[in-house]
Amino acid sequence: MSDVTSGGHRGLVMDEPLLFELDSGGHCGVDLPEPEGKARRLGGVKERQSIGLPGVSEPEVIRHFTRLSQKNYAIDSGLYPLGSCTMKHNPRINEKVVRLPGFAMAHPLQPPATVQGCLELIATLAHWLTTLTGMQGVAMSPAAGAHGEFAGLMCIRAALTARGDARRRILVPESAHGTNPATAALCDYRVDTVPCDARGRVDLAAFERALDDDVAALMLTNPNTCGLFETDIMTIADMLHSSGAFLYADGANFNAIVGRVRPGDLGVDAMHINLHKTFSTPHGGGGPGSGPVVLCEELVPFAPLPRIEADGDVWRLIEHDSDGLAFGRLRSFHGQMGMFVRALAYMMSHGADGLRQVAEDAVLNANYVLARLSGAYNVPFPGPCMHECLFDDGNLKDTGISTLDIAKAMIDEGYHPMTMYFPLIVHGAMLIEPTETESRQSIDRFCDVMVHLAEEARKGNQDLFHGAPRFAPWRRLDETAAARRPVLTWAPDRPA
């Protein structure tokens, strides 16, 4: 029996063409009469051809975008196992609070006197970010994690310049997020890679060899991208500080230690925090994300403007730096208000004990997945993990089934694939992060599917994998050709 229907539909999910392909010529979602007695604003210039917008009726527009939404897997649909991305549930209480008129209708050009509540909320969130991290200051304006990295390195660069210290190198572990070396290069530093040891952590001996008086900072993710805690972090921090360098921490994985460990106590000098990963704000949130960067006492004076200060009962937005130490501005306004509201709502609804439990449950769930899938898939680094667990396809190499084949078969099983081929230091990597919001029943269903797929691979059932996905709106695509020769525009004489 064919698994392809005559119309391309599957079950109750209908195939959906491009909006331009729905053009029926002359239809429109509204029916407005031609205005009478109005002169054309273009003078005597008249259009010579159609502007190319599709003509569709109102029901067709609604159905089109509804059907597109059905093709978009989301955390509201099921477990989202992407490692490093922390796809956790976004509590509805956050969405309710952010829609309160005083927050939802605020405009960034309003006078500060009219948005005192917004400024107080930002200051309150800043207080808790510094409290949870053990740091002395925070810049709230960065619009994303990578933007926070940029802010942190610019603060470090400004502090070194104020010292008269022209260091030119940044050290980055080979398991780092790709934004780390990119940010360092953007800040005009030379990037040198530090290898990992057999435990999946920074090779301390190699780091010591790389460290000299030209190193400005080490950019360290902790827990790292292999899902492991960097057990030598305090030794690394002491070595950096002794040489006059700084420790920058990539805070993308702060959700694994929030409420349990304060990065400032580990010797961290600057760290960005992804509010969507740790404090449940949506990825992007329909606009800019949010990546505040917390700073040690030495770096606080160099933080970007603007900043918020209390003047008695009044909150003031400081736009100009009297001492001239701030390295400048990152953006036009002061951060993403919607993300700030959601993050503070999450903090206040959980409390100190709840945030601690967030980290504990995230680590517990990841280690449960690690225990359940060990044997079915290869574990490259021994021992317990933190908030995410790392596997590879090493024990499937004789089956003809790769990580990509497992991922495609997962789609047929109703799951979005885990993060594949990252971190780059592990061949055929499968990085899985269940987060703290999944129940044991949910995780067991996911693990049952993953074990089943591994068993089918060992049975030699290659057709199951190489033909997958069969039940998605589209079958397996040539991803290499799509990346190298993308078709980014549509034309009437060319099929989509």
Side-chain angles (χ1 to χ4, degrees):
M1 179 181 294
S2 172
D3 55 9
V4 179
T5 59
S6 62
H9 310 323
R10 293 176 180 271
L12 297 179
V13 178
M14 300 186 73
D15 185 47
E16 187 61 19
L18 297 175
L19 189 62
F20 292 95
E21 296 176 289
L22 296 176
D23 184 7
S24 54
H27 287 94
C28 186
V30 294
D31 186 12
L32 297 175
E34 286 292 327
E36 297 180 2
K38 297 291 184 181
R40 296 177 63 87
R41 295 185 181 181
L42 298 180
V45 179
K46 295 183 178 180
E47 67 272 12
R48 286 176 284 185
Q49 62 185 32
S50 168
I51 62 174
L53 294 178
V56 290
S57 67
E58 181 177 337
E60 287 174 320
V61 171
I62 297 298
R63 288 172 182 169
H64 173 72
F65 287 103
T66 298
R67 288 171 186 162
L68 288 183
S69 73
Q70 293 171 339
K71 293 172 174 52
N72 188 30
Y73 191 89
I75 194 65
D76 289 349
S77 304
L79 185 148
Y80 213 137
L82 285 177
S84 188
C85 286
T86 315
M87 303 297 288
K88 67 167 75 181
H89 172 65
N90 307 131
R92 293 306 182 263
I93 184 68
N94 300 0
E95 302 305 313
K96 184 174 182 179
V97 173
V98 80
R99 285 167 173 76
L100 292 173
F103 298 130
M105 302 304 292
H107 193 282
L109 291 178
Q110 285 184 234
T114 68
V115 286
Q116 285 292 294
C118 292
L119 297 181
E120 182 177 0
L121 184 143
I122 298 173
T124 303
L125 175 60
H127 165 76
W128 288 117
L129 291 176
T130 54
T131 300
L132 289 166
T133 57
M135 305 292 273
Q136 283 68 54
V138 57
M140 297 296 291
S141 54
H147 208 203
E149 286 178 24
F150 177 75
L153 283 197
M154 288 298 289
C155 287
I156 289 172
R157 181 171 171 171
L160 290 171
T161 300
R163 283 189 206 164
D165 195 344
R167 297 174 181 237
R168 304 306 322 142
R169 298 171 60 216
I170 295 285
L171 302 181
V172 179
E174 62 180 351
S175 64
H177 292 138
T179 53
N180 290 178
T183 299
L186 185 64
C187 292
D188 199 28
Y189 284 108
R190 193 181 89 212
V191 180
D192 290 322
T193 302
V194 180
C196 291
D197 60 20
R199 304 178 306 131
R201 296 167 172 87
V202 170
D203 186 321
L204 197 59
F207 165 72
E208 188 171 9
R209 289 193 298 271
L211 183 61
D212 60 24
D213 59 7
D214 196 35
V215 171
L218 169 75
M219 300 183 76
L220 182 69
T221 306
N222 192 31
N224 67 23
T225 313
C226 300
L228 304 170
F229 192 87
E230 291 284 353
T231 50
D232 293 320
I233 184 171
M234 296 183 75
T235 300
I236 289 171
D238 289 341
M239 293 168 66
L240 285 165
H241 296 155
S242 296
S243 72
F246 292 91
L247 175 56
Y248 183 91
D250 183 319
N253 298 335
F254 185 47
N255 60 302
I257 59 174
V258 62
R260 295 276 306 182
V261 178
R262 300 194 312 173
D265 298 337
L266 302 177
V268 169
D269 298 302
M271 183 182 84
H272 76 267
I273 302 172
N274 303 72
L275 295 188
H276 57 278
K277 292 188 176 189
T278 303
F279 301 111
S280 84
T281 72
H283 278 62
S290 188
V293 56
V294 289
L295 303 164
C296 68
E297 186 173 2
E298 183 178 354
L299 295 179
V300 169
F302 304 97
L305 296 169
R307 63 178 181 267
I308 296 172
E309 292 182 359
D311 182 5
D313 295 332
V314 177
W315 295 96
R316 301 197 182 280
L317 194 62
I318 307 301
E319 303 275 1
H320 303 285
D321 191 2
S322 58
D323 56 20
L325 293 178
F327 72 76
R329 295 182 71 106
L330 283 172
R331 54 190 300 190
S332 300
F333 303 114
H334 192 58
Q336 224 289 33
M337 192 65 209
M339 299 300 102
F340 294 157
V341 177
R342 290 178 173 94
L344 186 61
Y346 184 79
M347 289 181 180
M348 296 183 71
S349 62
H350 279 73
D353 57 337
L355 290 177
R356 180 186 179 97
Q357 187 177 348
V358 163
E360 293 171 347
D361 288 353
V363 173
L364 177 64
N365 282 353
N367 278 280
Y368 184 69
V369 173
L370 180 65
R372 284 234 31 205
L373 299 187
S374 294
Y377 302 91
N378 186 59
V379 180
F381 301 115
C385 62
M386 292 295 289
H387 62 301
E388 57 192 352
C389 48
L390 181 60
F391 303 94
D392 63 46
D393 58 0
N395 59 355
L396 300 178
K397 62 181 180 180
D398 296 329
T399 67
I401 305 303
S402 67
T403 289
L404 180 64
D405 295 318
I406 295 291
K408 297 300 184 183
M410 288 174 66
I411 297 174
D412 278 341
E413 295 284 352
Y415 286 102
H416 192 289
M418 66 273 138
T419 296
M420 302 182 295
Y421 303 113
F422 183 79
L424 301 177
I425 59 172
V426 175
H427 183 271
M430 307 179 199
L431 189 60
I432 299 173
E433 182 177 359
T435 80
E436 75 283 356
T437 57
E438 297 298 333
S439 66
R440 178 172 176 176
Q441 290 82 358
S442 171
I443 296 174
D444 275 333
R445 286 194 294 269
F446 170 76
C447 289
D448 289 344
V449 165
M450 296 298 292
V451 170
H452 165 74
L453 293 177
E455 291 173 347
E456 290 298 311
R458 291 191 178 86
K459 290 177 184 177
N461 190 358
Q462 294 192 11
D463 289 342
L464 171 69
F465 295 93
H466 293 165
R470 291 176 173 82
F471 308 121
W474 288 88
R475 299 292 295 273
R476 189 181 299 206
L477 305 175
D478 186 341
E479 297 179 17
T480 301
R484 292 179 177 175
R485 299 188 301 276
V487 178
L488 303 178
T489 58
W490 177 84
D493 57 347
R494 183 178 66 227

